[in-house]
Amino acid sequence: MRNRVAWSLVVAWLGMAACAGPGVKPSEEYQQATAEQLVALVRMRAEATQSAKGLFRAQIKGPGLLLPARVEGAVYYSRPDAMRVRGFTPFGGELFELVVSRNLYRLSIPAEGRELKGHTARLGEAGKLGRPVQLSLWAVHGALGLTTVPADAHVLLHEEGDRYRLDVQSPGQAAGAIGSADLNGSTGADHQVGTDDANSNSRRLWFDRRTLLMVQEDRLSASGEVEAVMRFEDYRPVGDQVIQPVGSPGSASRLLRPFKITLEDGHGRGSVRLTFHEIVPNVILQPDELGVI
């Protein structure tokens, strides 16, 4: 009964997918931006989402993974650190439910009658499903625009063709870096859903120089190895909120989110491709929509 009710909500949401606007068309001119301005843009876009819910279709691949080729999913998020992701078969059967809060997770797998709990840093070790679900969580995190730059991070900006690359390093890794910018004076989110202490401060963020939208995020380990690569495409306006940049390039515009996200594991342990049908920002969520750990 629970699965039929949940799936009826998914079907209803899919009927609304046609409301999503067309993708953003970039201009031909490059925009100039400093490291501080890009950091301000990242934080502003993250803070614009206080809550959200969305529907997506996922293609999840991994060694020995017994999942359908196509998974339908629903996500619920509430700031600062609560998220719930559910995966369904095309016929409405529940494949998994992941609830995350304060960097703790609960992963339920109804078909196997299992429920796993722990710290999100160890989610990838939770059986064959753990790593693909962890990748899915990271991809959803990117789709909702929750990436931010910690207040104590050091950043380096590089121009690479039609992209900016912003290297975000933890203070320990950035010690002695020439030309790094200390951004201690800026505020960042207290918690990020699904990140862990080992790699949340070590990333490479890539921006299209024409739109200043983030088009790629590389997650790095403490040793600098690439843990995962995310690519963001098909940005569309969501909601009615207007974003007004302060101290950053660009004019006021509606909130944009990527509707296509591709994530590849840096060690070849799987990949995830998400295509969102609907993203609804800043909605009132009921307690049962977020789940409980």
Side-chain angles (χ1 to χ4, degrees):
M1 181 63 179
R2 179 186 176 190
N3 286 343
R4 288 200 298 270
V5 173
W7 189 244
S8 67
L9 294 175
V10 172
V11 172
W13 271 1
L14 287 175
M16 298 165 54
C19 298
V24 176
K25 295 182 179 179
S27 66
E28 296 300 324
E29 297 182 0
Y30 290 163
Q31 297 191 51
Q32 299 300 313
T34 65
E36 290 79 3
Q37 289 173 330
L38 289 176
V39 169
L41 278 176
V42 169
R43 289 174 175 161
M44 177 189 64
R45 290 166 179 167
E47 292 167 2
T49 301
Q50 299 299 313
S51 64
K53 62 181 179 181
L55 287 176
F56 59 87
R57 177 170 296 165
Q59 291 178 291
I60 305 175
K61 299 180 180 179
L65 182 63
L66 299 178
L67 276 179
R70 190 183 73 187
V71 176
E72 300 293 341
V75 57
Y76 308 86
Y77 165 76
S78 181
R79 198 175 182 87
D81 57 11
M83 183 179 287
R84 182 188 186 200
V85 181
R86 305 181 71 188
F88 302 90
T89 69
F91 304 102
E94 188 169 22
L95 292 169
F96 67 86
E97 177 190 57
L98 176 67
V99 178
V100 180
S101 179
R102 296 181 181 273
N103 284 333
L104 298 176
Y105 78 87
R106 174 172 58 81
L107 175 61
S108 301
I109 310 172
E112 299 180 8
R114 290 199 299 159
E115 182 175 280
L116 306 173
K117 298 179 181 179
H119 194 282
T120 52
R122 305 187 70 85
L123 175 57
E125 303 170 12
K128 293 182 178 180
L129 194 58
R131 186 58 174 176
V133 170
Q134 184 181 52
L135 297 180
S136 301
L137 178 62
W138 288 351
V140 168
H141 184 278
L144 298 184
L146 304 182
T147 295
T148 189
V149 177
D152 58 354
H154 295 256
V155 299
L156 287 169
L157 182 62
H158 307 266
E159 293 183 8
E160 297 195 2
D162 60 355
R163 291 183 176 187
Y164 282 120
R165 191 188 84 217
L166 188 69
D167 294 341
V168 182
Q169 300 175 312
S170 64
Q173 291 173 313
I178 298 176
S180 63
D182 189 348
L183 301 176
N184 281 328
S186 301
T187 59
D190 294 332
H191 297 279
Q192 296 181 62
V193 176
T195 62
D196 57 80
D197 296 338
N199 67 12
S200 62
N201 292 349
S202 305
R203 305 178 184 197
R204 289 194 294 257
L205 308 180
W206 304 76
F207 300 83
D208 187 311
R209 293 180 62 190
R210 295 164 297 177
T211 63
L212 299 185
L213 293 171
M214 191 185 304
V215 294
Q216 183 173 320
E217 176 182 351
D218 301 345
R219 286 176 173 253
L220 309 178
S221 68
S223 61
E225 294 182 322
V226 176
E227 287 289 325
V229 176
M230 278 185 282
R231 296 180 177 87
F232 309 110
E233 303 175 81
D234 193 14
Y235 272 87
R236 304 182 189 184
V238 296
D240 298 322
Q241 185 176 3
V242 175
I243 303 300
Q244 179 65 58
V246 177
S248 301
S251 57
S253 63
R254 289 177 61 187
L255 181 63
L256 301 173
R257 293 295 182 234
F259 273 59
K260 293 182 180 179
I261 302 92
T262 303
L263 189 150
E264 296 180 0
D265 182 89
H267 303 285
R269 290 180 291 171
S271 65
V272 173
R273 178 177 297 173
L274 300 186
T275 302
F276 270 80
H277 308 296
E278 187 79 8
I279 299 175
V280 185
N282 301 320
V283 293
I284 298 176
L285 298 176
Q286 301 302 318
D288 60 345
E289 290 182 294
L290 288 169
V292 178
I293 294 184

